[in-house]
């Protein structure tokens, strides 16, 4: 069977070409359905039949972006018990939604998908299937973030990074309690690392601090827009981070989600009472002995957030 190379460098068979690609009338290059010509044959706001096919739906970027409530069966990558599921919200420039969505999808493959989010006001969120921390560091398409930034995408004050942390990654309700208490006791350092304080989207509240023991026992919170969203049955959603297309900042976000769980896993009453186990400097000391969390350590140093 013959193959053809697309404008963006992919090689596809005739069957896929005819089913999912269109040929630019100006350069004869093949492009994914719903995407602008990769050779920049038309301006970004072009509405010709090539650039804006009749079945284009502005809500789903030509079928490249799913509805907000899309929930596929999770596919786990790496070795547990702890798995992370990041959601990275980004804003797209002007009429580049198609090409930016296609670019993201070309890197994600089967690892993830894109979803609409009305809070972004022009853009989408990048969602992955659950990954272990080590697997994510080695296999997440980090180059995708650089290329999206080069295409004009950006993080704004309305975008964030949410990291879902698997409930099965905790050894006991006591472990959940220690993890939440550590985060709530270190709000100043956590929000410095997260690069934002948001009462609208990721609030730290006294009600949640008082309810930690109940959350640890399985009570699900009624409010979603909290620093730790406890309303999901299988995950805790860490909502604290400002969004970013800087791979180092995204790696630090995943690193904190994983490291905070692992740090509190073996934390004992003696550690807490006599050695300051719940303090930020104790956590930083623990990190420095574990090179796997180097992206997080480097980000803490860059933000002067080590004490």
């Amino acid at each position: 069977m013959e193959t053809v190379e697309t404008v963006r460098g992919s090689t596809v068979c005739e069957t896929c070409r005819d089913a999912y690609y269109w040929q630019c009338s100006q350069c004869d290059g093949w492009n994914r359905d719903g995407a602008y010509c990769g050779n920049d044959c038309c301006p970004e706001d072009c509405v010709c039949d090539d650039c804006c096919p009749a079945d284009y739906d502005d809500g789903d970027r030509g079928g490249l972006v799913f509805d907000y409530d899309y929930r596929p069966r999770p596919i786990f990558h790496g070795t547990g018990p702890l798995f992370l599921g990041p959601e990275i919200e980004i804003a797209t420039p002007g009429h580049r939604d198609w090409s930016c969505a296609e670019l993201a999808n070309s890197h994600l493959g089967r690892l993830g998908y894109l979803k609409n989010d009305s809070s972004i006001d022009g853009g989408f969120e990048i969602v992955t299937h659950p990954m272990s921390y080590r697997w994510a560091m080695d296999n997440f398409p980090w180059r995708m973030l650089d290329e999206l930034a080069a295409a004009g995408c950006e993080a704004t004050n309305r975008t964030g990074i949410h990291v879902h942390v698997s409930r099965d990654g905790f050894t006991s309700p006591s472990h959940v309690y220690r993890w939440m208490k550590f985060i709530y006791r270190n709000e100043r350092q956590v929000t410095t690392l997260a690069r934002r304080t948001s009462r609208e989207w990721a609030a730290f509240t006294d009600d949640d601090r008082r309810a930690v023991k109940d959350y640890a026992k399985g009570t699900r919170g009624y409010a979603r827009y909290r620093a730790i969203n406890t309303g999901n049955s299988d995950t805790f959603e860490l909502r604290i981070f400002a969004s970013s297309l800087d791979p180092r900042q995204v790696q630090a976000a995943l690193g904190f989600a994983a490291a905070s769980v692992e740090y509190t896993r073996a934390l004992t009453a003696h550690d807490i009472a006599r050695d300051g186990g719940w303090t930020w400097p104790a956590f930083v000391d623990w990190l420095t002995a574990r090179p796997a969390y180097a992206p997080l350590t480097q980000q803490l140093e860059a933000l002067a957030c080590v004490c």
Side-chain angles (χ1 to χ4, degrees):
M1 181 178 292
E2 291 186 9
T3 61
V4 63
E5 184 173 342
T6 70
V7 166
R8 290 176 173 81
S10 301
T11 301
V12 297
C13 67
E14 287 182 287
T15 302
C16 290
R17 180 200 68 188
D18 294 340
Y20 304 114
Y21 290 79
W22 63 275
Q23 189 172 26
C24 177
S25 59
Q26 297 193 46
C27 70
D28 292 329
W30 288 94
N31 296 270
R32 183 78 177 188
D33 286 348
Y36 292 105
C37 180
N39 285 331
D40 293 326
C41 292
C42 295
E44 292 181 3
D45 58 352
C46 181
V47 292
C48 69
D49 289 341
D50 278 346
C51 290
C52 191
D55 60 354
Y56 169 66
D57 178 355
D58 186 61
D60 67 4
R61 284 75 159 183
L64 298 174
V65 181
F66 290 95
D67 289 337
Y68 180 75
D69 59 359
Y70 177 66
R71 296 287 189 277
R73 176 177 294 181
I75 301 170
F76 292 83
H77 298 275
T79 302
L82 180 65
F83 290 94
L84 310 174
E87 301 172 346
I88 306 171
E89 299 174 339
I90 63 169
T92 53
H95 295 278
R96 295 291 301 278
D97 278 7
W98 283 340
S99 57
C100 293
E102 186 189 38
L103 172 60
N105 275 313
S106 69
H107 282 283
L108 283 172
R110 295 185 178 181
L111 173 60
Y113 45 93
L114 310 180
K115 291 171 54 175
N116 280 310
D117 190 329
S118 59
S119 68
I120 301 174
D121 190 26
F124 49 76
E125 62 178 22
I126 301 166
V127 184
T128 78
H129 287 284
M131 307 174 288
S132 69
Y133 171 70
R134 186 69 269 165
W135 194 96
M137 292 299 103
D138 292 339
N139 296 281
F140 183 87
W142 300 110
R143 192 179 68 177
M144 170 185 67
L145 303 180
D146 291 326
E147 293 187 10
L148 286 170
C153 298
E154 61 180 348
T156 71
N157 60 6
R158 295 190 63 82
T159 60
I161 296 174
H162 311 151
V163 182
H164 286 265
V165 179
S166 57
R167 288 179 181 257
D168 286 344
F170 294 85
T171 54
S172 65
S174 295
H175 183 193
V176 175
Y177 176 84
R178 294 192 297 270
W179 177 67
M180 289 189 176
K181 290 290 283 187
F182 169 72
I183 291 175
Y184 283 125
R185 280 174 170 260
N186 293 283
E187 177 182 351
R188 176 179 62 83
Q189 294 91 339
V190 168
T191 53
T192 298
L193 170 64
R195 296 172 292 106
R196 75 169 180 177
T197 299
S198 176
R199 292 197 59 81
E200 182 178 8
W201 305 112
F204 283 83
T205 71
D206 290 338
D207 286 346
D208 285 330
R209 290 185 178 90
R210 288 189 290 266
V212 164
K213 188 176 294 186
D214 295 326
Y215 293 151
K217 293 178 180 179
T219 298
R220 291 165 62 177
Y222 63 88
R224 176 185 173 195
Y225 300 123
R226 299 294 177 83
I228 304 173
N229 171 21
T230 59
N232 300 309
S233 59
D234 297 319
T235 67
F236 296 108
E237 183 187 16
L238 199 56
R239 297 179 52 88
I240 57 176
F241 301 100
S243 191
S244 177
L245 288 170
D246 183 336
R248 296 167 299 180
Q249 293 177 345
V250 178
Q251 289 170 359
L254 294 180
F256 178 72
S260 59
V261 174
E262 297 305 331
Y263 173 68
T264 54
R265 186 180 300 279
L267 204 60
T268 66
H270 180 276
D271 296 331
I272 295 167
R274 299 191 60 181
D275 298 329
W278 264 332
T279 67
W280 195 258
F283 174 60
V284 173
D285 286 345
W286 181 89
L287 284 176
T288 57
R290 290 162 175 80
Y293 299 113
L296 172 58
T297 302
Q298 292 164 6
Q299 190 68 13
L300 290 175
E301 293 172 351
L303 294 169
C305 184
V306 294
C307 61

